[in-house]
Amino acid sequence: MAVPNVVLHVADVHKRFGGLHALADIDLQIEEGQTHAIIGPNGAGKSTLLNVCIGKLAPTSGTVVFDGQVLTGKKPHEINQLGIARVFQTPEIFADLSVLQNVMIPALAKRDGAFKLNLLRSLDSQTTIRAEAEDMLEDVGLFGRRDTLAGSLSRGDKRRMELAMCLIQHPRLLLLDEPTAGMSRHDTNTTIELLKKIKSRGMTKVIIEHDMHVVFSLADKISVLAQGRIIADGTPDEVRGNPKVQEAYLGGTHQ
Amino acid sequence: MNALLMSRRDAVTLAIFALVVLTMPVWLQPFGAAYPGLMQKFAIYAIFAIGFNILFGLTGYLSFGHAAFLGVGSYTAVWSFKLLTMDALPAIAFAIILSGLLAVVIGYLSLRRSGIYFSILTLAFAQMCYNLAYSVLTPITNGETSLQLNLRDPRIIDSALAPRPAGLPSAGLFGHTFTGLEGFYFCAAALLIAFFIAQKIFASPFGMMLRGIKSNQTRMNYTGFNTRPYALSAFVISGMYAGLAGALLAVTDPLAGAERMQWTASGEVVLMTILGGVGTLIGPVLGAWIIKYFENIFSAFNEQIVSRFFDFLPAGAHEVVTAVASKFVGEGWNLTLGLVFVLIVVFLPGGIMEGVRRIAHLFDKSRRAPKAPAKLSTQPAE
Ligand SMILES: Nc1ncnc2c1ncn2[C@@H]1O[C@H](COP(=O)(O)OP(=O)(O)OP(=O)(O)O)[C@@H](O)[C@H]1O
Ligand SMILES: [Mg+2]
């Protein structure tokens, strides 16, 4: 089968934690420009799957290929520099820096690469980076809070800021681990709109979500994970109609 | 040209700082500290602390072995005096290079661990340097007798340029030997340059990366930064600052002993930084000055001075207060310093600079309070 536009290919991945088979025989292809949702009950292995993709965990066996390059064995910063950014399930932010600084740092990573001894120029003089960060904050609705310490934001705002930190890098692949958890309905809807907007720019996304409203408004494809295995995948309609999924996960929550 | 530009706030800070440092011989008079020997130490240890803070304050990596670089700087400078010339500049250049190289090695190995393990590793390396100076390396360090100038030193460059003086020479600049306050002003100039560079680092993207490492190293990695070389650069820069300080110690007194590398000296710079305020530019300088002041002035107080100080008290109280207070001066200066340190860390965890900030905040509030309602109305509606 010709698969010219597969951006991320997870091939035969297994992950064991001692006796626990957290991921079993995962085979997943994410296509360019699509939003691919991964759903499944708590403990299904969704976060573990993302951890394997970004190099936080090494798979017990199998490989992850991104755009022709094998990711397994690469360092987290190398994987990011290839164009993969991630929003974590528990926000990973710079709590004691300001919101603006939080967003400027990833912009610098994008511009300067993994390491650059940029000692003598002042950060304040980097007006393009600053303007870019401010625009990004405007997009996620945090511009008014740019001088606040990131640690004092609410949980929902932290997630939005973390999303901004990823988006400013214009990654080719964005991995989102429950991006709307802890948000109000209103903020969730704003985030959905934002994610739809990026989609129109052609960014590929993998999104883990419990909120079915979010999943069905965004996803082009859905994979259902249960006990470390993919039990179904396909378009939202196919998945919705799949009796196995109804039984394992959706139950009666979605009509 | 571009490299010299700085924000207005930084420029003002630098100007005020320069004024304070250069007028030390005046304002230190009432404190009894305006003699060259002590003022030189103020300048030198301020450099040491500023450099240490670039590592500890920005990246959060707490080194317990920075005295090793101070010692290497001193030894290198004295060797430069002995072999080449009494000019301070080559001595300083060699000292910075050598301590930088040592910092590359120690930093490369120690930074493979973080937290307490990093601290222990740096401590272990510094103690190794200290012990080497006393054992295997005695041909270079002259062991317990300390490395000193000698009438038979070759001093190739100096000998070629001018007839050799009769006694032991002192350090200087371009053939001129430092006398009086010149040594102090030389160290003060070095301090101002060191402070300026630290300001640039604090304001640079590099400085922001170091803060990022301190705040959340995991996020830095997943944001695409290779944090290891960033932390190593900070380590090497702070090692070079220590090397500069060590060289200046040798410039003001051409003698280098291994005790300069002992763990107590490494601990002292940690105290200076925490006392003044970790991660601030001025804090470590204040910390260094206070500790050196205590060490040199407080330790020289005796019971008579204390008794005279409390002369205004009635007879009975006078005896009691004098007896108690004199326990805290002279030999007891460490006790006072310990007490001050405990009080500051407990009540002002951000060091003296946090105290300054709180006071400034109070003033700000009382000045702004009456205008508060007017200010609210000018805020744009969201
Ligand atoms: N580092 C680890 N060490 C040991 N076990 C782990 C580790 N990470 C995850 N697990 C286990 O693997 C299983 C899958 O966890 P994972 O976090 O991937 O689930 P999830 O699908 O993301 O769940 P949730 O919806 O609650 O976030 C769980 O049983 C978890 O306890
Ligand atoms: Mg999870």
Side-chain angles (χ1 to χ4, degrees), chain B residues 367-376:
Chain B
R367 203 152 23 104
R368 252 187 238 156
K371 289 193 204 136
K375 192 160 179 281
L376 266 183

Side-chain angles (χ1 to χ4, degrees), chain A residues 117-129:
Chain A
L117 205 53
N118 206 345
L119 278 177
L120 295 177
R121 274 201 295 154
S122 136
L123 192 57
D124 288 337
S125 69
Q126 330 255 295
T127 38
T128 9
I129 292 275

Side-chain angles (χ1 to χ4, degrees), chain A residues 142-158:
Chain A
L142 284 174
F143 182 73
R145 312 208 57 185
R146 64 190 178 285
D147 294 323
T148 320
L149 279 191
S152 61
L153 293 178
S154 69
R155 195 167 131 85
D157 282 350
K158 279 183 188 152

Side-chain angles (χ1 to χ4, degrees), chain A residues 15-18 20-23 40-51 57 89 177-178 208 210 225 228:
Chain A
K15 180 68 196 176
R16 287 197 177 81
F17 294 115
L20 178 75
H21 213 149
L23 293 176
N42 289 112
K46 306 181 295 293
S47 300
T48 306
L49 178 57
L50 290 199
N51 287 341
L57 292 173
Q89 187 165 358
D177 200 340
E178 304 192 18
I208 292 177
H210 280 297
L225 207 60

